[in-house]
Amino acid sequence: MTKRKEHRKRKRFQVPKGVFVGVGPHFTKVGRLTDLSTDGLAFRYVGNRKPSSGSYVNIFMLEGSLFLAKLPIKIIADVEMVEKAPSSSLTIRRCYVKFRKLTPRQKTELERFIEDYATVEA
């Protein structure tokens, strides 16, 4: 089995299970944030339609005051996940995104979020 070449420049970190990503102004896709870095993130969601690439994400927690707004993204990959329960009719996907040009404030908030909430390297 061949190993994939790693293209990431920054380490990715896992985050607590209560952190979510909403895509676009109307949260057209909402999923659980699985890992992130200062360059990008990955999240899992239910559905068949992929998010729009020219969009942005909002990162939030259900409990707490965390809300990182309108982080511009470019979708790198969006893949269907193989689930353990084959009888399930739900399609689970994983979306990998790269941040586009963040404002200085967004960079600072993202770095603070990683410092405060990230647990271990992904």
Side-chain angles (χ1 to χ4, degrees):
M1 183 181 276
T2 61
K3 277 191 135 182
R4 246 184 59 196
K5 182 180 176 189
E6 181 61 58
H7 294 282
R8 295 178 183 151
K9 294 178 184 173
R10 307 268 190 268
K11 293 179 185 175
R12 289 241 177 169
F13 297 94
Q14 292 180 341
V15 295
K17 290 188 181 194
V19 182
F20 295 88
V21 172
V23 179
H26 303 291
F27 285 52
T28 54
K29 292 287 178 207
V30 176
R32 189 175 79 76
L33 179 63
T34 55
D35 61 76
L36 84 157
S37 75
T38 54
D39 287 342
L41 59 82
F43 67 98
R44 291 171 53 119
Y45 67 95
V46 175
N48 291 321
R49 229 181 64 214
K50 299 175 186 177
S52 170
S53 185
S55 192
Y56 60 84
V57 295
N58 301 290
I59 301 174
F60 62 96
M61 294 178 86
L62 293 180
E63 294 182 20
S65 60
L66 171 72
F67 190 82
L68 301 178
K70 296 185 177 180
L71 303 175
I73 61 165
K74 175 183 178 185
I75 296 176
I76 303 302
D78 190 286
V79 296
E80 186 173 331
M81 303 297 294
V82 177
E83 291 299 307
K84 292 180 180 152
S87 62
S88 176
S89 62
L90 298 176
T91 300
I92 307 294
R93 299 189 69 86
R94 185 172 171 119
C95 187
Y96 301 86
V97 304
K98 177 181 178 179
F99 294 124
R100 291 185 294 141
K101 190 166 174 92
L102 298 175
T103 67
R105 181 179 180 158
Q106 288 172 323
K107 286 180 187 176
T108 300
E109 289 175 346
L110 185 61
E111 289 167 355
R112 187 174 300 134
F113 170 76
I114 291 171
E115 198 173 286
D116 292 346
Y117 294 99
T119 53
V120 294
E121 278 186 48

